[in-house]
Amino acid sequence: MGGTRFTKASQRLHSFCLFLALGSFIWGYNVGVLASVLVHPGFKKTLHRPDASLSGLITAIYYLGTFTSYLFFAHPAADKLGRRHAAFVGMGVTCVGQALQVGATGSAAQALGMVIVGRIIAGVGTGIISTSVPLYQRYVVEIAPSKHRGRFVVMNHIGFIAGLASGFWIGYGMTFWDSERGLQVAWRYSLSVSFVPAFLFFVGLPFMHESPRWLVEHGKIDEAFTTLQYYREGYCTSDEIYDELDDIERSVASFRVTGLVWTSLFADRSLFARMWRSALLQFLAQMCGATAMKYYLPALFRALGLSHRASLLAGGVESTLKIGCNVLEMFIIDRVGRRLTLVIGAVIMAFSLLINGTLPLIYPNNSNIAADYACVVFVFIYSLGYSVGFGPAAWVYGSEIFQTAVRARGLSFAASCGAIGSVIVTQIWPIGIAALGSKIYFFFMVINLVSVPIIYILFPETKGRALEDMDVLFGGHDPSASSEHLLADGEDEDDDQGPRRRGSPIDGGLWRD
């Protein structure tokens, strides 16, 4: 298999990834729109003007839902229901959570209760989506040419950023609904917009093919072959498709033969070496301050002297520029490498946080307009750093270092560590701003600076390496080797027969003409 030539297979592969990015779009939208909801007069009135700690709780509680989902619900749902149906269920759960937030009413305590319960439920649904979609997309990562693999993973992150930007723009648009009714209910309409892309996801998902690996795991070999054939038309020969299917069957058999379970991620030295790196990377991707920037960006801009409407406009522009930065990252990550983009991104973010922490101390109370505008500019530069570093690269790195048999569990555990980081940051930021002012930026600056040597020294470069070669970097051996004999025996027996039958440890294999 060569590069990503412009064939039917290439078109279908990109279309497939773009559709799956719609799931990430909804996740991003729900994050972006909350930033405008938190500062909306109607929302504040409904909850009787929540203070900094309560705003932090409303934001952070969402990640309690995602953390719970990652640990207990997401992976079992994807395994038992399939990637498609799990994504479908996850989207349904997310919509239920959103509906509770939209309908929050009654006394302040009742409305707050509905918002918090809705946030938790939406977080659980998002956890299922953000696990099942990468699993659904996983076989694309596994079979994509190593020199283009990062591109497909970054496409999923672009969906998230596009949703984030859309949330800001919808929030900005709602500021023009400044009638008495608009000031009361516009925030509810902002949240309701997420039902539109969710409906499109519901409609399109049944027409997608199920993951070939899941089909093989459940003995549906013919369907797996049909799916591979659909996504390889004009790109691979029939023999190459059969070989690919054999590789998947071998991988599934290896998992059963070796007896690997989720505890192997902690008990096996090689797997744990991958596990802690992926988890730490996800944790740092949140602790660098980006999560807080997503939720509290309008409040941050207002502290720099921008009006309510202008702060939302600036938030929309900043998030839109992130899309362009991520598109750029999609093309450079396979050229520059994962480690270098992470290091460069962390340095850019640290310097931007230094500026935003220092200038308000030198020119307090918005006494210097030029200093305030400089801080705004460096917020944009900070976003550039995140978009070429932790934002997409953390997911790319984690998706490719695990062996196939434990990749799903590894990603789930790593994502749960990211959720812990999000809970910490979303709680620290509003309280820190209220108590320390711009000095809170120095805390996140230090985290970014510490990340540089950690990444450079402890994280080996994976650019251009085949997934099978990751054992060279992290030790261990490919568990598929332990089941090679299962396939070899089947192939040797049939070498001299007419139509050749590929031996399969799953159900005996397919006839091959």
Side-chain angles (χ1 to χ4, degrees):
M1 290 169 58
T4 51
R5 300 189 303 272
F6 191 71
T7 61
K8 279 188 178 181
S10 179
Q11 295 176 47
R12 289 170 178 173
L13 204 59
H14 283 82
S15 299
F16 173 79
C17 290
L18 284 173
F19 178 79
L20 292 184
L22 187 60
S24 297
F25 176 93
I26 296 164
W27 177 14
Y29 180 85
N30 290 338
V31 171
V33 76
L34 185 68
S36 64
V37 168
L38 287 173
V39 296
H40 191 275
F43 181 79
K44 290 182 177 180
K45 182 179 180 181
T46 301
L47 270 63
H48 288 207
R49 299 194 175 278
D51 57 18
S53 60
L54 191 55
S55 295
L57 174 64
I58 293 170
T59 305
I61 203 71
Y62 176 82
Y63 292 100
L64 175 62
T66 61
F67 176 77
T68 304
S69 183
Y70 287 139
L71 288 185
F72 302 110
F73 303 123
H75 189 71
D79 277 350
K80 294 180 179 180
L81 302 178
R83 314 324 187 199
R84 279 190 309 170
H85 293 108
F88 195 93
V89 169
M91 188 61 69
V93 172
T94 300
C95 288
V96 170
Q98 285 294 103
L100 281 173
Q101 296 172 68
V102 170
T105 187
S107 65
Q110 291 172 330
L112 177 63
M114 291 183 69
V115 169
I116 288 178
V117 172
R119 293 279 293 167
I120 293 174
I121 293 175
V124 171
T126 298
I128 297 174
I129 295 171
S130 61
T131 298
S132 59
V133 166
L135 285 175
Y136 202 0
Q137 194 183 39
R138 180 178 63 174
Y139 82 89
V140 176
V141 177
E142 291 168 356
I143 61 177
S146 48
K147 66 179 181 179
H148 295 299
R149 189 171 58 233
R151 177 189 306 177
F152 292 107
V153 181
V154 174
M155 286 176 67
N156 193 53
H157 187 71
I158 290 175
F160 175 83
I161 298 301
L164 188 71
S166 299
F168 273 106
W169 284 116
I170 292 294
Y172 171 68
M174 289 297 174
T175 62
F176 292 93
W177 190 6
D178 53 5
S179 65
E180 182 178 351
R181 177 167 174 76
L183 292 175
Q184 291 177 351
V185 303
W187 67 273
R188 301 182 191 272
Y189 283 86
S190 296
L191 292 173
S192 300
V193 170
S194 65
F195 296 132
V196 176
F199 175 76
L200 297 177
F201 195 73
F202 281 132
V203 171
L205 203 56
F207 296 97
M208 304 297 290
H209 290 260
E210 183 54 81
S211 161
R213 181 178 175 86
W214 186 87
L215 292 170
V216 169
E217 286 175 345
H218 290 76
K220 301 180 180 182
I221 309 299
D222 291 340
E223 291 183 42
F225 177 77
T226 300
T227 298
L228 287 173
Q229 196 173 40
Y230 177 79
Y231 286 112
R232 298 293 173 268
E233 184 178 351
Y235 186 62
C236 296
T237 65
S238 181
D239 283 351
E240 288 175 324
I241 295 173
Y242 275 106
D243 288 339
E244 186 177 332
L245 182 60
D246 282 346
D247 288 340
I248 296 175
E249 291 182 272
R250 183 181 296 109
S251 175
V252 171
S254 72
F255 178 78
R256 296 172 180 173
V257 169
T258 57
L260 287 175
V261 292
W262 68 268
T263 53
S264 301
L265 289 166
F266 301 92
D268 183 274
R269 180 176 297 180
S270 169
L271 295 179
F272 184 67
R274 307 167 200 230
M275 175 65 211
W276 72 257
R277 284 178 171 85
S278 181
L280 178 60
L281 206 53
Q282 289 289 343
F283 185 73
L284 291 175
Q286 307 307 318
M287 292 300 296
C288 71
T291 300
M293 288 282 193
K294 295 169 189 172
Y295 284 111
Y296 304 120
L297 194 58
L300 186 156
F301 282 140
R302 292 195 70 177
L304 293 173
L306 299 183
S307 66
H308 172 66
R309 181 174 293 171
S311 66
L312 291 174
L313 174 62
V317 173
E318 185 263 358
S319 298
T320 303
L321 289 177
K322 279 183 180 177
I323 300 176
C325 292
N326 277 268
V327 171
L328 175 64
E329 172 75 350
M330 187 173 73
F331 292 102
I332 68 172
I333 192 169
D334 288 315
R335 295 176 180 270
V336 176
R338 287 63 162 142
R339 187 170 61 176
L340 185 57
T341 56
L342 285 165
V343 167
I344 291 174
V347 170
I348 292 173
M349 288 188 290
F351 183 72
S352 301
L353 291 168
L354 173 65
I355 298 298
N356 273 271
T358 302
L359 288 181
L361 295 178
I362 299 174
Y363 303 103
N365 303 317
N366 306 111
S367 58
N368 188 299
I369 296 178
D372 289 340
Y373 282 149
C375 288
V376 171
V377 170
F378 274 94
V379 168
F380 283 75
I381 295 174
Y382 173 93
S383 298
L384 169 65
Y386 184 75
S387 297
V388 300
F390 280 120
W395 288 101
V396 173
Y397 198 91
S399 69
E400 62 189 1
I401 63 174
F402 288 107
Q403 294 170 346
T404 304
V406 293
R407 182 171 292 124
R409 283 294 187 187
L411 285 174
S412 293
F413 278 118
S416 68
C417 290
I420 293 173
S422 296
V423 171
I424 295 172
V425 171
T426 50
Q427 280 288 89
I428 287 177
W429 188 275
I431 297 174
I433 285 289
L436 302 174
S438 67
K439 294 178 183 178
I440 190 64
Y441 287 103
F442 298 136
F443 171 78
F444 295 103
M445 178 195 72
V446 170
I447 291 177
N448 280 283
L449 290 176
V450 171
S451 298
V452 172
I454 289 176
I455 292 169
Y456 192 78
I457 296 172
L458 300 178
F459 286 76
E461 180 56 67
T462 59
K463 179 191 71 170
R465 284 187 175 268
L467 297 179
E468 295 78 14
D469 294 338
M470 295 299 170
D471 294 321
V472 177
L473 299 177
F474 301 101
H477 65 281
D478 189 342
S480 63
S482 62
S483 62
E484 282 287 334
H485 66 280
L486 292 174
L487 285 171
D489 290 346
E491 292 173 359
D492 290 342
E493 292 173 1
D494 297 319
D495 277 346
D496 297 325
Q497 298 177 12
R500 191 150 53 107
R501 178 171 171 153
R502 304 292 290 188
S504 167
I506 306 299
D507 71 347
L510 293 167
W511 285 96
R512 182 173 181 175
D513 295 327

